[in-house]
């Protein structure tokens, strides 16, 4: 046997013994991870719209579900998408701005109660906002009696509620990033006569743009995903709903589950979010892990 | 709706009841019995989920943290897909897949399982869906923790003759657990409030036959509270719902504070 062959053989042996089973596990887990997505895609293109006859590769393929989705006057998917985008973009923007201001002062200033503030926002964070659903409903109901635009069924109160909802994570994530920026730059700017807001706007913000993008995206996904508070505050009136709440109406109730348009809409809502997530996965993953472990 | 004195009542009307909402939790048998079952499942569900998904994430991280394996990154990208799908939508898709007999899962395996109508199968279905949505996160954080272990420690162990199993149980595992412990506590706190997965998958059901038509086998405190307040056949009981919210708040808070104290996370703040 020539030496090259024996090396090849050994490599082959190594591959069979150490690598092959890892691939098998990988394929198994990948199947589990992709399972609902694959069926979502398959059902979206199956014109029969019956989950009971659903095959992996649909027998009757077509775009009927998408046509149905966009032509439904009672369940306007286009308006829901617009609502979702308005609410998620403005609330996520608010979250990032408030979080950044809080993070700047917690990272750069030394004041009494600073540590207490940091631990308090972390613990408050542990109580998800949805516990307050009842209270929020009653408060906003009361607001609505005096100011109509702040009442139930309007987007502004929901944006305000969400705007403060992820303050804990965002502040910690941004603060741990600000901490890595050298304070010497600030001091140099201070000597040149810059105030705090100028330092924040002209030095910190440009340097921290990547982490702002990550924070914004995580907040955005979180708000797009929200079901409970959105449904409580906006109500279940056709035009008011968001994608997450609205699509559920297609399959609500015991009978007449309309899986076709539901999966078509779910697919349309999922793809952009997923594309962003995978495209930015490196930043998102490091943000998720470091933001939470550095604490 | 009108009150006993004929006054018209609007949603959100108030009456001072003192501590009655809290005391009724203990004294009212109709409330107490389902609530006890709900509480037990709330904790069992949260702890089981975090333990199982942590183990799954850890095992996967150990398997795929292997330099000779190409396409590691491809696998990682596929594994995090569940995190990228809006969970409201994926849970609803799962509910379709779990439909008994006609659902995809039952037809795929040629079985007929009462997934969402039998209490125990419904609980298993809830755990499967929650596991699907949380294992990617656990995979990511344990991978990070394993890669952060200094190579010298493992080399030293190898030189000292530690078997791979010993190196794992005595070195890797303790180090990983210590790194991710605060995240696990946070995950438990989140799992205690995992409203979406439960409410959208089973609606908390199947409902107990002996309760007043509200609580179900897979209900956790938060979904039960929501049903009491906004989705009740017997009128919306905001008072009781708020009282339960406060109890939930205290419960989750105590666990979080205890966990954080124990992990000494708070000491490192600067």
């Amino acid at each position: 046997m020539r030496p090259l062959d024996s090396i090849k053989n050994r490599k082959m042996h190594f591959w069979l013994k150490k690598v092959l089973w890892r691939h098998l596990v990988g394929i198994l887990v990948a199947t589990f991870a992709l399972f609902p997505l694959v069926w979502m895609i398959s059902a979206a293109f199956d014109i029969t719209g019956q989950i009971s006859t659903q095959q992996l590769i649909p027998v009757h393929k077509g775009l009927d579900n998408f046509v149905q989705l966009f032509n439904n006057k009672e369940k306007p998917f286009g308006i829901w998408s617009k609502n979702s985008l308005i609410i998620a973009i403005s609330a996520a923007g608010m979250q990032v701005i408030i979080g950044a201001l809080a993070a700047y002062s917690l990272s750069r200033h030394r004041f009494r109660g600073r540590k207490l503030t940091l631990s308090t926002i972390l613990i408050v964070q542990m109580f998800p906002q949805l516990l307050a659903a009842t209270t929020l409903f009653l408060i906003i109901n009361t607001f609505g009696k005096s100011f109509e635009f702040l009442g139930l069924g309007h987007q502004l109160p929901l944006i305000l509620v969400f705007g403060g909802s992820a303050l804990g994570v965002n502040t910690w994530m941004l603060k741990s990033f600000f901490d890595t920026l050298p304070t010497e730059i600030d001091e140099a700017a201070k000597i040149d006569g810059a105030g705090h807001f100028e330092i924040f706007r002209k030095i910190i913000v440009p340097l921290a743009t990547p982490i702002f993008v990550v924070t914004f995206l995580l907040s955005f996904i979180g708000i797009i995903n929200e079901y409970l508070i959105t449904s409580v505050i906006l109500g279940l009136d056709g035009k008011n709903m968001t994608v997450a709440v609205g699509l559920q109406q297609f399959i609500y109730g015991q009978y007449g589950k309309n899986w076709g348009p539901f999966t078509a809409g779910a697919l349309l809502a999922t793809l952009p979010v997923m594309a962003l997530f995978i495209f930015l996965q490196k930043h998102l993953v490091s943000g998720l892990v470091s933001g939470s472990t550095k604490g | 709706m009108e009150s006993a004195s004929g006054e018209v009542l609007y949603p959100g009307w108030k009456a001072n009841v003192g501590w009655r909402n809290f005391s009724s939790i203990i004294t009212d048998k109709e409330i107490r019995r389902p609530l006890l079952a709900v509480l037990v499942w709330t904790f069992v569900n949260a702890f089981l989920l975090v333990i199982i998904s942590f183990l799954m994430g850890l095992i996967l991280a150990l398997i795929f943290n292997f330099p000779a394996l190409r396409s590691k990154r491809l696998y990682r990208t596929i594994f995090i897909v569940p995190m990228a799908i809006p969970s409201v939508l994926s849970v609803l898709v799962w509910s379709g897949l779990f439909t008994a007999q006609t659902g995809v899962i039952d037809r795929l395996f040629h079985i007929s399982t009462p997934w969402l109508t039998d209490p125990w199968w419904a609980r298993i279905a809830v755990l499967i869906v929650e596991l699907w949505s949380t294992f990617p996160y656990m995979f990511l954080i344990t991978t990070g923790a394993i890669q952060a272990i200094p190579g010298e420690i493992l080399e030293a162990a190898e030189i000292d003759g530690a078997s791979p199993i010993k190196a794992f149980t005595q070195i890797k595992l303790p180090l990983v657990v210590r790194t991710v412990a605060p995240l696990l506590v946070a995950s438990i706190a989140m799992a205690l409030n995992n409203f979406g997965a439960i409410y959208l998958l089973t609606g908390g059901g199947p409902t107990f036959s002996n309760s007043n038509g509200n609580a179900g086998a897979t209900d956790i405190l938060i979904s039960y509270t929501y049903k009491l307040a906004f989705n009740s056949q017997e009128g919306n009981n905001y008072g009781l719902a708020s009282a339960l919210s406060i109890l939930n708040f205290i419960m989750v808070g105590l666990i979080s504070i205890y966990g954080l104290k124990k992990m000494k996370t708070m000491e490192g703040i600067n």
Side-chain angles (χ1 to χ4, degrees):
Chain A
M1 200 186 277
R2 281 177 304 154
L4 199 69
D5 273 359
S6 89
I7 290 173
K8 244 188 185 169
N9 251 332
R10 216 178 300 157
K11 259 193 172 167
M12 192 66 200
H13 186 75
F14 175 79
W15 193 85
L16 278 177
K17 212 179 145 194
K18 297 259 174 170
V19 181
L20 179 66
W21 68 274
R22 288 172 209 260
H23 278 298
L24 293 179
V25 175
I27 291 166
L28 196 74
V29 178
T31 315
F32 179 53
L34 294 178
F35 190 67
L37 182 69
V38 169
W39 286 98
M40 196 199 280
I41 296 169
S42 141
F45 290 100
D46 186 340
I47 57 174
T48 48
Q50 291 294 319
I51 212 145
S52 53
T53 52
Q54 179 77 49
Q55 301 295 319
L56 185 55
I57 313 276
V59 187
H60 306 282
K61 290 178 272 293
L63 294 175
D64 279 27
N65 292 326
F66 293 90
V67 176
Q68 252 193 68
L69 181 71
F70 281 103
N71 287 343
N72 196 326
K73 290 248 160 47
E74 284 161 37
K75 300 184 174 111
F77 184 73
I79 295 177
W80 296 345
S81 312
K82 204 185 80 195
N83 290 346
S84 278
L85 283 179
I86 292 175
I87 292 168
I89 289 176
S90 30
M94 245 176 90
Q95 284 187 8
V96 173
I97 293 168
I98 299 175
L101 292 173
Y104 176 80
S105 64
L106 289 168
S107 163
R108 290 301 196 255
H109 291 285
R110 292 292 177 271
F111 50 88
R112 270 181 77 188
R114 180 173 152 278
K115 283 193 178 182
L116 186 69
T117 313
L118 271 170
S119 34
T120 310
I121 53 175
L122 192 67
I123 288 168
V124 169
Q125 168 72 38
M126 302 281 174
F127 311 114
Q129 203 185 15
L130 49 85
L131 280 181
T134 334
T135 328
L136 285 170
F137 173 80
L138 294 175
I139 290 174
I140 289 169
N141 188 25
T142 317
F143 274 166
K145 284 176 192 152
S146 318
F147 305 99
E148 228 221 295
F149 61 96
L150 277 178
L152 296 171
H154 290 268
Q155 289 173 0
L156 188 63
L158 190 66
I159 293 170
L160 292 176
V161 168
F162 285 153
S165 67
L167 200 57
V169 225
N170 288 352
T171 308
W172 272 78
M173 206 153 103
L174 291 168
K175 182 196 162 278
S176 61
F177 186 84
F178 290 177
D179 283 347
T180 64
L181 302 174
T183 47
E184 285 83 20
I185 314 178
D186 302 25
E187 274 149 27
K190 224 179 271 172
I191 292 168
D192 289 346
H196 273 301
F197 189 68
E198 235 167 332
I199 295 175
F200 176 72
R201 195 168 57 94
K202 292 197 176 145
I203 296 173
I204 304 280
V205 171
L207 285 175
T209 309
I211 197 81
F212 284 140
V213 174
V214 171
T215 317
F216 181 85
L217 254 174
L218 290 176
S219 303
F220 181 86
I221 294 175
I223 295 164
I224 286 277
N225 247 325
E226 217 288 330
Y227 176 85
L228 192 149
I229 296 196
T230 313
S231 71
V232 165
I233 291 179
L234 292 182
L236 296 177
D237 184 17
K239 279 191 308 241
N240 277 338
M241 288 187 267
T242 59
V243 172
V245 181
L247 280 178
Q248 199 227 354
Q249 308 304 312
F250 277 110
I251 50 167
Y252 192 70
Q254 203 75 36
Y255 307 102
K257 293 193 176 188
N258 212 345
W259 286 100
F262 167 77
T263 46
L267 191 63
L268 288 180
T270 300
L271 288 182
V273 177
M274 205 159 74
L276 272 178
F277 204 94
I278 287 170
F279 183 63
L280 294 168
Q281 69 162 296
K282 227 177 85 192
H283 301 285
L284 285 169
V285 167
S286 63
L288 265 180
V289 176
S290 77
S292 29
T293 46
K294 257 183 201 152
Chain B
M1 202 155 83
E2 282 181 15
S3 73
S5 54
E7 196 184 342
V8 182
L9 295 174
Y10 296 101
W13 58 272
K14 295 186 190 89
N16 196 353
V17 296
W19 290 91
R20 215 181 310 157
N21 280 320
F22 288 94
S23 60
S24 71
I25 295 171
I26 298 163
T27 51
D28 190 336
K29 220 169 144 196
E30 293 239 312
I31 297 173
R32 192 182 58 205
R33 206 165 353 129
L35 189 66
L36 208 63
V38 166
L39 258 180
V40 170
W41 171 242
T42 306
F43 280 102
V44 171
N45 174 50
F47 281 89
L48 263 185
L49 171 66
V50 171
I51 291 168
I52 295 174
S53 65
F54 170 68
L55 287 179
M56 182 168 170
L58 181 66
I59 291 169
L60 287 178
L62 287 170
I63 291 176
F64 289 96
N65 189 25
F66 187 70
L69 182 74
R70 271 182 252 163
S71 57
K72 249 182 313 191
R73 290 197 41 201
L74 175 70
Y75 281 128
R76 194 183 77 172
T77 307
I78 295 175
F79 290 174
I80 63 168
V81 162
M83 291 174 84
I85 304 176
S87 61
V88 173
L89 303 174
S90 58
V91 170
L92 290 170
V93 170
W94 273 110
S95 78
L97 301 178
F98 273 124
T99 313
Q101 286 170 349
T102 55
V104 169
I105 294 173
D106 275 11
R107 278 187 296 129
L108 212 58
F109 297 108
H110 298 288
I111 46 175
S112 171
T113 317
W115 284 110
L116 304 178
T117 43
D118 176 80
W120 285 105
W121 284 113
R123 287 175 186 135
I124 291 171
V126 164
L127 274 174
I128 290 175
V129 174
E130 288 176 330
L131 180 66
W132 176 82
S133 59
T134 47
F135 91 84
Y137 178 66
M138 295 292 179
F139 169 64
L140 290 179
I141 60 171
T142 45
T143 302
I146 287 175
Q147 285 172 352
I149 298 175
E152 302 95 60
I153 298 183
L154 297 174
E155 260 168 49
E158 208 174 312
I159 291 167
D160 287 349
S163 64
I165 295 172
K166 256 207 160 142
F168 173 72
T169 53
Q170 314 241 317
I171 300 171
K172 276 190 191 174
L173 191 63
L175 283 173
V176 168
V177 168
R178 216 177 61 184
T179 318
V180 302
L183 301 181
L184 293 185
V185 175
S187 298
I188 290 176
M190 286 231 305
L192 286 174
N193 289 298
N194 198 350
F195 172 82
I198 283 169
Y199 185 73
L200 295 173
L201 187 68
T202 63
T207 42
F208 295 129
S209 50
N210 60 355
S211 86
N212 49 3
N214 242 327
T218 54
D219 255 327
I220 56 173
L221 198 52
I222 185 75
S223 64
Y224 181 52
T225 307
Y226 177 82
K227 288 202 287 191
L228 276 179
F230 301 107
N231 200 3
S232 162
Q233 286 98 348
E234 292 104 33
N236 299 340
N237 197 341
Y238 297 127
L240 181 59
S242 299
L244 288 180
S245 291
I246 291 170
L247 288 185
N248 197 346
F249 188 85
I250 293 170
M251 196 174 79
V252 176
L254 286 180
I255 289 176
S256 311
I257 292 171
Y258 171 80
L260 289 170
K261 276 253 162 74
K262 198 100 194 156
M263 306 317 165
K264 307 228 162 90
T265 318
M266 295 311 207
E267 282 175 14
I269 299 175
N270 56 48

